[in-house]
Amino acid sequence: MILFMTKDILCLLFLLPLIQVFSQNVEGWTAVERGVYLNYDLETSPLEIKTDSVIGSNDRVYMYFYTAQGDQAGGVTINFSSPPRYRIVYCASLSSTNFPTNIPSPKEKIWRITVSRSAGVRRVVIHCNGKEVLNILISGTTCSHSSWSAYWTRDVGKIKFHSFFDTASDYRNIPAKCAGLKTAWTNMVADKEFPVTVGTLLTLSCMEGYRLTGDKVVNCTKDTEFQYTTEPQCDKCPENGSVDLSDKRGNLIGDCNDWIQAKYDTYIPAYLDSSLLYLETNSSAGSGDNAMVWYYDDENIRFVANSS
């Protein structure tokens, strides 16, 4: 027996571990790990799966959902039969159902699975190559499984690809994160601890001595990038609040504890869920004056003029 090793073989053996590492993570994707629990919050970050199985091969995407404690919370299967079929685990019976619309034809597909909560139950939405192919509310009307509510009302904190039945899932996306607020948003804090997954809604507030202007709630869309209508910022409060007692019915106190003259029949932003409304009046008892304030769902108030 002759043992030898050329320079080319040595180079290949050196590069092989690197090739294996890169094959596991490709542009934000990682190779699917089967039979293991994966921490994944489907409510804040939809799951995307890459497949290249052929329709008619009967390969399957087969995964279960679990709570953070490991209790089963439903699941989804996609069967590459002809025609393609799906099953909502612990909702439907063991048989699968044809998709209600045609599946895109390219062999390489990206499936996006979204699980959201609506009125205490779940909605499952599946996209294939950007096309919505399933949108179903998990309820007693749509589910035939006798124990559907025991599973589908639980919070999903983990997923697991079946070690035997899952034969189609090649890659899954790595959930994008927001590491913190924009650097320009000084003296501002969020109601959640960073990092958070893309799609998380954050409620903002300012440090003491500053007033928030712009949107109070923003959506994380990318690391340090957020979706909003009016960019939030924290403005420094004036050194001395201006006091105006000319209006006998009331004055509105702001975030900086400075008094603002009340205006009638005008919508004024006021977040009464997180701050207090103070009124200062100088009307005398028996005058018949009223302090009437209406509060609206969109976090506005309106002082109503007194007709007496």
Side-chain angles (χ1 to χ4, degrees):
M1 181 174 61
I2 301 175
L3 298 177
F4 69 93
M5 185 173 293
T6 67
K7 185 185 299 183
D8 292 338
I9 293 177
L10 281 173
C11 182
L12 179 60
L13 292 176
F14 175 77
L15 291 176
L16 185 58
L18 297 178
I19 294 172
Q20 291 174 337
V21 170
F22 284 116
S23 68
Q24 298 292 313
N25 297 277
V26 181
E27 297 180 355
W29 297 84
T30 185
V32 164
E33 311 96 317
R34 293 178 174 83
V36 296
Y37 292 103
L38 305 171
N39 293 327
Y40 207 109
D41 187 351
L42 282 177
E43 289 193 14
T44 60
S45 185
L47 176 66
E48 291 185 336
I49 302 170
K50 274 188 177 184
T51 65
D52 63 359
S53 295
V54 178
I55 300 299
S57 66
N58 286 319
D59 284 342
R60 282 185 288 182
V61 172
Y62 203 120
M63 60 181 180
Y64 288 116
F65 305 149
Y66 297 86
T67 66
Q69 293 74 35
D71 298 319
Q72 289 186 335
V76 169
T77 72
I78 299 171
N79 192 341
F80 285 77
S81 54
S82 182
R85 299 168 68 85
Y86 75 93
R87 184 167 74 91
I88 307 298
V89 181
Y90 297 121
C91 172
S93 59
L94 292 177
S95 61
S96 55
T97 305
N98 291 347
F99 279 98
T101 186
N102 292 330
I103 301 298
S105 58
K107 178 184 176 184
E108 293 188 355
K109 295 177 174 59
I110 295 179
W111 303 83
R112 168 175 284 205
I113 300 173
T114 304
V115 179
S116 61
R117 183 188 294 274
S118 176
V121 294
R122 304 287 179 184
R123 179 177 293 276
V124 176
V125 181
I126 299 179
H127 288 80
C128 180
N129 288 357
K131 176 184 178 181
E132 183 178 286
V133 295
L134 182 68
N135 188 327
I136 183 172
L137 182 68
I138 309 300
S139 67
T141 303
T142 58
C143 293
S144 58
H145 196 286
S146 59
S147 302
W148 71 270
S149 60
Y151 297 100
W152 281 97
T153 53
R154 296 170 176 169
D155 294 327
V156 179
K158 296 180 180 180
I159 62 173
K160 182 169 70 171
F161 293 89
H162 199 283
S163 58
F164 178 76
F165 293 120
D166 188 288
T167 55
S169 304
D170 297 321
Y171 294 92
R172 65 177 179 87
N173 65 322
I174 301 174
K177 302 281 187 180
C178 284
L181 297 176
K182 295 173 64 172
T183 55
W185 293 354
T186 56
N187 303 301
M188 190 180 298
V189 294
D191 64 332
K192 294 181 177 65
E193 184 177 349
F194 288 99
V196 296
T197 54
V198 166
T200 301
L201 295 179
L202 299 170
T203 301
L204 307 176
S205 59
C206 295
M207 296 181 180
E208 184 177 356
Y210 292 84
R211 172 189 289 134
L212 180 68
T213 59
D215 287 3
K216 182 181 180 181
V217 178
V218 297
N219 181 19
C220 162
T221 58
K222 193 178 179 181
D223 189 18
T224 68
E225 294 185 13
F226 301 87
Q227 183 181 32
Y228 47 80
T229 302
T230 303
E231 183 167 9
Q233 64 181 24
C234 290
D235 299 326
K236 188 172 177 58
C237 295
E239 294 298 330
N240 297 305
S242 57
V243 179
D244 187 340
L245 301 179
S246 60
D247 187 335
K248 65 180 180 180
R249 288 183 178 82
N251 296 280
L252 174 67
I253 190 169
D255 296 335
C256 296
N257 295 333
D258 56 325
W259 292 87
I260 304 172
Q261 184 174 352
K263 297 180 180 180
Y264 292 124
D265 297 321
T266 300
Y267 293 97
I268 304 171
Y271 304 104
L272 297 189
D273 290 338
S274 57
S275 60
L276 298 176
L277 174 68
Y278 293 85
L279 300 176
E280 181 169 334
T281 63
N282 59 6
S283 297
S284 58
S287 66
D289 288 337
N290 294 318
M292 186 177 294
V293 183
W294 288 6
Y295 183 58
Y296 298 85
D297 290 340
D298 54 357
E299 299 182 325
N300 287 302
I301 63 171
R302 182 165 68 94
F303 291 95
V304 181
N306 185 9
S307 59
S308 62

